């Protein structure tokens, strides 16, 4: 197994694996590991989430534990049931199973409300009437103590009354909030009486208008983890500075007797952070991905150029390749951009083993075999997949007129050109040797037909006299060719970091040539491709039948990835 960027010592795995191992060795959590993947259902999952999923589910599997799938849905705006459906589908497709462990954080809102009231009763939270601008100003900067809110010393009775009225919808958005009473002088700004509940009067996709106030992420997340009995809460680095607050919430839950107890052992979840995945030529912000969808710059969340799990699936990326990629990038605390080329190479590695080979011509020029009978046809055996001996062979039809790739012919070739040119012989893959004798040209002087002769003794592709033929090219019998739409997908952006230039919108860097459609002239069996089936067009690229636009007998072909890394910045 190849790993890069993995902080490993003594073969104990990456730092999170070591952390869990040590925790278990110390007898924590009754020896059980429970992790969770907690997406907010406000967008589709992307390749960055796939990394988190592989870590969360991977760690649970490694230690014989379980991983929950939780909808982190305590913010009413932009959340939606359709996102919940897509998230479940994507996690399943990636190959992970949450068993009985599916949860909605919004199911805990009643209990969070009671917990908050418990804090108020203990003098650990207060209702603050400062506006957002004001409390941020009072909070100050890390190097100097902040200024306490004038509302900090309200009595528990007054706070309770105000909080209950907040949660009955009596106050306007922004007019009040509930804050934890911690430490206005803490060097950690998140400890300076953070807001834990705010008024939000938008309807929630599951709770409707029941709640006019919602907990903040920093308050809700540890509560959700602890309530589900999570032992290890793994997340991305930006939450590292929030960890003391996470622990503070867990401590307060402990005081109120709200932690899960398993076999007499109290479960205290611990948060640990890893670097998020960022990929070059790709954006990963849900807000920006949504913008691409809403402005019609792509064909929906599952556009095959999108870095979403559903987009990659539709493009033809195998789930195994995505998991392999997540394995290869490893887990560390160092922020770095990963090359898209690495993901593409994982896709190639996988498809090379599994995809059947087919012949198709994308940029055709006609070949006429002058010494082949006009009405005759025959079938040659072609290897299904040289990497998989069990895949066997198929029959490919051959006749007097063929299509070949225009690039495989040069009238006046340089020395190292081993493909077709006048007076030269090439191998037509699986069929025979063919000698070019001349060309026809159209009015503009372009080659329109290539003429030549075949050697009937070379059936199958080998010279009867053992003469050497350097070039082998692919072909499709013109009479049998099936024309199909093929989308030559390419990178969605033309620059490695479309977000680097703050003076320009990221959409300025969209690649205008990322979805060119051409007609592919295919050998007949290609028309039987079922949605999401992938083949390798020999010498060209992998193509996958689109799951939305294909009709029976008429697949629409999506280019998954070329056979070699051939990307050239424009
Ligand atoms: P937002 O931009 O709305 O904050 P998000 O991408 O953080 O969205 P969440 O739904 O909160 O989305 O993410 C769910 C989990 O996936 C979180 O634990 C988060 O840390 C993790 N995650 C999100 N983006 C990445 C990424 N690029 N690499 C690794 N993990 C990620
Ligand atoms: Mg987030």
């Amino acid at each position: 197994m190849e790993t890069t960027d993995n902080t490993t010592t003594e073969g104990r795995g990456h730092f999170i694996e070591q952390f869990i191992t040590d925790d278990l060795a110390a007898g924590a959590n009754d020896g059980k590991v429970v992790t969770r993947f907690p997406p907010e259902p406000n967008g589709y999952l992307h390749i960055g989430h796939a990394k988190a999923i592989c870590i969360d589910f991977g760690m649970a599997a490694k230690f014989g534990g379980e991983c929950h799938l939780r909808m982190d849905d305590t913010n009413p705006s932009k959340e939606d049931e359709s996102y919940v459906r897509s998230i479940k589908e994507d996690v399943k497709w990636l190959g992970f199973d949450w068993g009985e462990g599916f949860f909605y954080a919004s199911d805990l809102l009643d209990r969070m409300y009671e917990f908050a009231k418990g804090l108020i009763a203990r003098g650990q939270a207060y209702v603050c009437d400062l506006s957002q601008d004001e409390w941020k100003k009072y909070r100050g900067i890390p190097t100097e103590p902040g200024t306490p809110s004038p509302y900090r010393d309200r009595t528990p009775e007054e706070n309770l009354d105000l909080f209950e009225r907040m949660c009955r919808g009596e106050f306007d958005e922004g007019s009040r909030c509930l804050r934890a009473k911690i430490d206005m002088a803490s060097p950690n700004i998140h400890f300076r009486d953070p807001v834990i509940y705010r008024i939000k009067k938008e309807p929630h996709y599951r709770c409707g208008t029941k709640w006019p106030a919602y907990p903040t992420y920093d308050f809700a997340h540890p509560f959700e983890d602890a309530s589900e009995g999570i032992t290890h809460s793994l997340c991305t680095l930006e939450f590292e500075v929030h960890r003391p607050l996470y622990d503070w919430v867990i401590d307060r839950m402990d005081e109120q007797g709200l932690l899960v107890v398993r076999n007499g052992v109290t479960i205290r979840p611990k948060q640990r952070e890893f670097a998020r995945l960022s990929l070059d030529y790709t954006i990963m912000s849900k807000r920006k991905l949504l913008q691409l969808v809403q402005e019609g710059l792509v064909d929906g969340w599952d556009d095959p150029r999108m870095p979403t799990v559903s987009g990659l699936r539709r493009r033809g990326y195998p789930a195994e390749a995505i998991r392999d990629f997540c394995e290869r990038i490893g887990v560390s605390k160092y922020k770095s951009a990963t090359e898209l080329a690495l993901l593409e190479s994982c896709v190639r590695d996988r498809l090379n083993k599994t995809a059947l080979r087919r012949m198709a011509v994308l940029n055709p020029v006609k070949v006429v075999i002058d010494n082949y009978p006009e009405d005759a046809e025959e079938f040659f055996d072609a290897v299904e997949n040289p990497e998989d001996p069990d895949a066997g062979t198929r029959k490919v039809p051959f006749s007097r007129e063929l299509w070949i790739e225009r690039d495989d012919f040069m009238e006046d070739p340089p020395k190292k050109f081993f493909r077709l040119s006048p007076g030269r012989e090439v191998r037509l893959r699986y069929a025979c040797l063919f000698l070019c004798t001349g060309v026809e040209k159209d009015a503009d002087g372009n080659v329109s037909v290539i003429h030549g002769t075949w050697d009937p003794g070379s059936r199958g592709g080998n010279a009867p006299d053992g003469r050497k033929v350097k070039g082998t090219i692919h072909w499709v019998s013109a009479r049998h060719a099936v024309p199909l739409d093929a989308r030559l997908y390419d990178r969605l952006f033309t620059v490695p970091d479309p977000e680097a230039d703050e003076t320009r919108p990221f959409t300025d860097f969209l690649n205008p040539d990322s979805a060119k459609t051409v007609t592919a002239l295919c050998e007949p069996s290609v028309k039987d491709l079922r949605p999401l089936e992938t083949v390798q067009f020999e010498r060209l690229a992998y193509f996958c039948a689109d799951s939305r636009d294909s009709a029976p007998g008429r697949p629409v072909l999506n280019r998954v990835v070329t056979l070699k890394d051939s990307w050239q910045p424009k």
Side-chain angles (χ1 to χ4, degrees), residues 37-40 42 46 48-49 51-52 234-236 239 274 276-277 284 286:
F37 173 63
E40 183 179 1
N42 62 354
H46 52 58
H49 294 119
K51 170 178 177 175
L234 311 175
C235 61
T236 34
F239 295 109
F274 56 85
R276 57 173 53 226
L277 170 68
M284 221 87 92
K286 282 198 247 181

Coordinates of all heavy atoms in Angstrom, one line a residue, residues 37-40 42 46 48-49 51-52 234-236 239 274 276-277 284 286, ligand 1:
F37 N -20.2 10.5 10.8 CA -20.0 11.5 9.7 C -21.2 12.4 9.7 O -22.4 11.9 9.6 CB -19.9 10.8 8.3 CG -19.9 11.7 7.2 CD1 -18.8 12.7 7.1 CD2 -20.9 11.7 6.3 CE1 -18.8 13.6 6.0 CE2 -20.9 12.7 5.2 CZ -19.9 13.6 5.1
P38 N -21.0 13.7 10.0 CA -22.1 14.6 10.3 C -22.3 15.7 9.2 O -22.1 16.9 9.5 CB -21.7 15.2 11.6 CG -20.1 15.4 11.4 CD -19.7 14.3 10.4
P39 N -22.8 15.4 8.0 CA -23.0 16.5 7.1 C -24.2 17.3 7.4 O -25.2 16.8 8.0 CB -23.2 15.7 5.8 CG -23.8 14.4 6.2 CD -23.1 14.1 7.5
E40 N -24.1 18.6 7.0 CA -25.3 19.4 7.1 C -26.0 19.2 5.7 O -25.4 19.4 4.7 CB -24.9 20.9 7.3 CG -26.2 21.7 7.4 CD -25.9 23.2 7.6 OE1 -24.8 23.6 7.7 OE2 -26.9 24.0 7.8
N42 N -27.3 20.7 3.4 CA -27.6 21.9 2.6 C -26.8 21.9 1.3 O -26.5 22.9 0.7 CB -27.1 23.1 3.5 CG -25.7 23.1 3.8 OD1 -25.0 22.1 3.6 ND2 -25.2 24.2 4.4
H46 N -19.2 16.2 -1.6 CA -18.1 16.3 -2.6 C -16.9 15.4 -2.2 O -16.9 14.7 -1.1 CB -17.7 17.7 -2.8 CG -17.3 18.5 -1.6 ND1 -16.3 18.1 -0.7 CD2 -17.9 19.6 -1.0 CE1 -16.2 19.0 0.3 NE2 -17.2 19.9 0.1
G48 N -14.1 16.1 -1.0 CA -13.6 16.4 0.4 C -14.4 15.6 1.4 O -13.8 15.0 2.4
H49 N -15.7 15.6 1.3 CA -16.5 14.8 2.2 C -16.1 13.3 2.1 O -16.1 12.6 3.2 CB -18.0 14.9 2.0 CG -18.5 16.3 2.2 ND1 -19.1 17.1 1.2 CD2 -18.5 17.1 3.3 CE1 -19.4 18.3 1.7 NE2 -19.1 18.3 3.0
K51 N -13.3 12.1 1.7 CA -12.1 11.9 2.6 C -12.6 11.7 4.0 O -12.2 10.7 4.7 CB -11.2 13.0 2.5 CG -10.0 13.0 3.5 CD -9.0 14.1 3.4 CE -8.0 14.0 4.5 NZ -6.9 15.0 4.4
A52 N -13.5 12.6 4.5 CA -13.9 12.5 5.9 C -14.7 11.2 6.1 O -14.5 10.5 7.1 CB -14.8 13.7 6.2
L234 N -14.3 13.1 14.8 CA -13.2 13.5 13.9 C -13.7 14.5 12.9 O -14.7 14.4 12.3 CB -12.7 12.2 13.1 CG -12.4 11.0 14.0 CD1 -12.0 9.8 13.2 CD2 -11.3 11.4 15.1
C235 N -12.9 15.6 12.8 CA -13.4 16.7 11.9 C -12.2 17.4 11.3 O -11.0 17.0 11.5 CB -14.2 17.7 12.7 SG -13.3 18.4 14.1
T236 N -12.5 18.5 10.6 CA -11.4 19.2 9.9 C -10.8 20.3 10.8 O -11.4 20.7 11.8 CB -11.9 19.7 8.6 OG1 -13.2 20.1 8.7 CG2 -11.8 18.7 7.5
F239 N -11.8 23.3 13.2 CA -12.5 23.2 14.4 C -11.6 23.0 15.6 O -12.0 23.0 16.8 CB -13.5 22.0 14.4 CG -14.6 22.2 13.4 CD1 -14.7 21.5 12.2 CD2 -15.6 23.1 13.7 CE1 -15.7 21.7 11.3 CE2 -16.6 23.3 12.8 CZ -16.7 22.6 11.6
F274 N -8.2 16.8 11.4 CA -7.2 16.5 10.4 C -7.4 17.6 9.3 O -8.4 18.3 9.2 CB -7.5 15.1 9.8 CG -8.9 14.9 9.3 CD1 -9.3 15.3 8.1 CD2 -9.9 14.4 10.2 CE1 -10.6 15.1 7.6 CE2 -11.2 14.2 9.8 CZ -11.6 14.5 8.5
R276 N -8.2 19.3 5.8 CA -9.2 19.1 4.8 C -8.6 18.8 3.5 O -7.4 19.3 3.2 CB -10.3 20.1 4.7 CG -9.8 21.6 4.5 CD -11.1 22.5 4.3 NE -12.1 22.4 5.3 CZ -13.4 22.3 5.1 NH1 -13.9 22.3 3.9 NH2 -14.2 22.3 6.1
L277 N -9.2 18.1 2.6 CA -8.7 17.9 1.3 C -9.0 19.1 0.5 O -10.1 19.7 0.4 CB -9.5 16.7 0.7 CG -9.2 16.5 -0.8 CD1 -7.8 16.1 -1.1 CD2 -10.2 15.4 -1.4
M284 N -14.4 23.5 -3.6 CA -15.0 22.5 -2.7 C -16.0 23.2 -1.8 O -16.7 22.5 -1.0 CB -13.9 21.9 -1.8 CG -14.1 20.4 -1.6 SD -13.3 19.4 -2.9 CE -11.7 19.2 -2.3
K286 N -19.5 24.4 -0.6 CA -20.8 24.0 -1.0 C -21.5 25.3 -1.6 O -22.4 25.1 -2.5 CB -21.6 23.5 0.2 CG -21.3 22.1 0.6 CD -22.4 21.5 1.4 CE -21.8 21.2 2.8 NZ -22.8 20.6 3.7
Ligands
LIG1 P1 -19.8 24.3 4.8 O1 -19.0 24.8 3.7 O2 -21.3 24.4 4.7 O3 -19.3 24.5 6.2 P2 -18.7 21.6 4.9 O4 -18.1 21.3 3.6 O5 -17.9 21.9 6.1 O6 -19.7 22.8 4.6 P3 -20.4 19.8 6.3 O7 -21.7 19.2 5.9 O8 -20.4 20.6 7.6 O9 -19.8 20.6 5.2 O10 -19.3 18.7 6.4 C1 -19.5 17.4 7.0 C2 -18.1 16.9 7.4 O11 -17.2 16.8 6.3 C3 -17.5 17.7 8.4 O12 -17.0 16.9 9.5 C4 -16.3 18.4 7.7 O13 -15.2 18.6 8.6 C5 -16.0 17.3 6.6 N1 -15.4 18.0 5.4 C6 -16.0 19.0 4.7 N2 -15.2 19.4 3.7 C7 -14.1 18.6 3.8 C8 -12.9 18.5 3.0 N3 -12.6 19.3 2.0 N4 -12.0 17.6 3.3 C9 -12.2 16.7 4.4 N5 -13.3 16.8 5.1 C10 -14.3 17.7 4.9

